[in-house]
């Protein structure tokens, strides 16, 4: 029940973080990456972890899992890993509605 509540409340934050970090090159892997984020969150909840600041914690999990997925995809394709992954996570969304959602999620 706790996982469902977090996904309901922060699902758009997860989607935003995955899109921003993965970029357009990984559009076809977005759902797989999102599932990795959900599994990582579920694992922490199952272990009894208390999440004091859910928006920050979930954002960190989403970025971490997305970076891992992008690195795996690049390694499989033989493409060199670059510094571009880390910088995209800090960019503000271009869409004002997404910026507002992200800001509200962080404030919550």
């Amino acid at each position: 029940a706790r996982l469902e509540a977090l996904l309901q409340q922060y699902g758009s934050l997860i989607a935003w973080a995955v899109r921003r970090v993965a970029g357009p090159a990984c559009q076809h892997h977005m759902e797989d990456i999102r599932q990795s984020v959900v599994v990582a969150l579920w694992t922490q909840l199952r272990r009894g972890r208390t999440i004091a600041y859910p928006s920050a914690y979930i954002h960190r999990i989403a970025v971490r899992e997305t970076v891992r997925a992008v690195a795996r995809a690049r390694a499989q394709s033989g493409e060199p890993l670059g510094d571009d992954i880390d910088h995209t996570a800090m960019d503000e969304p271009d869409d004002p509605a997404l910026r507002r959602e992200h800001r509200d999620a962080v404030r919550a």
Side-chain angles (χ1 to χ4, degrees), residues 4-105:
E4 287 298 322
L6 288 170
L7 292 176
Q8 178 82 20
Q9 188 170 1
Y10 298 104
S12 62
L13 176 64
I14 293 169
W16 176 83
V18 170
R19 277 193 314 271
R20 295 301 286 177
V21 175
C26 292
Q27 287 295 326
H28 56 285
H29 295 293
M30 294 296 186
E31 186 55 32
D32 292 338
I33 296 169
R34 184 190 167 288
Q35 287 299 320
S36 294
V37 173
V38 171
V39 168
L41 180 59
W42 174 78
T43 300
Q44 294 306 314
L45 291 173
R46 189 183 64 163
R47 290 179 180 161
R49 179 169 179 113
T50 302
I51 302 173
Y53 302 101
S55 61
Y57 187 77
I58 290 170
H59 181 264
R60 189 173 71 229
I61 287 176
V63 169
R64 181 189 70 217
E65 292 302 317
T66 304
V67 168
R68 286 178 179 171
V70 170
R72 279 192 305 270
R74 286 184 176 177
Q76 289 173 352
S77 71
E79 183 181 337
L81 297 177
D83 294 333
D84 58 324
I85 296 172
D86 296 329
H87 300 294
T88 58
M90 301 307 290
D91 293 341
E92 280 292 318
D94 298 327
D95 181 49
L98 285 175
R99 271 198 309 269
R100 187 173 45 255
E101 268 184 43
H102 184 250
R103 183 184 63 240
D104 293 344

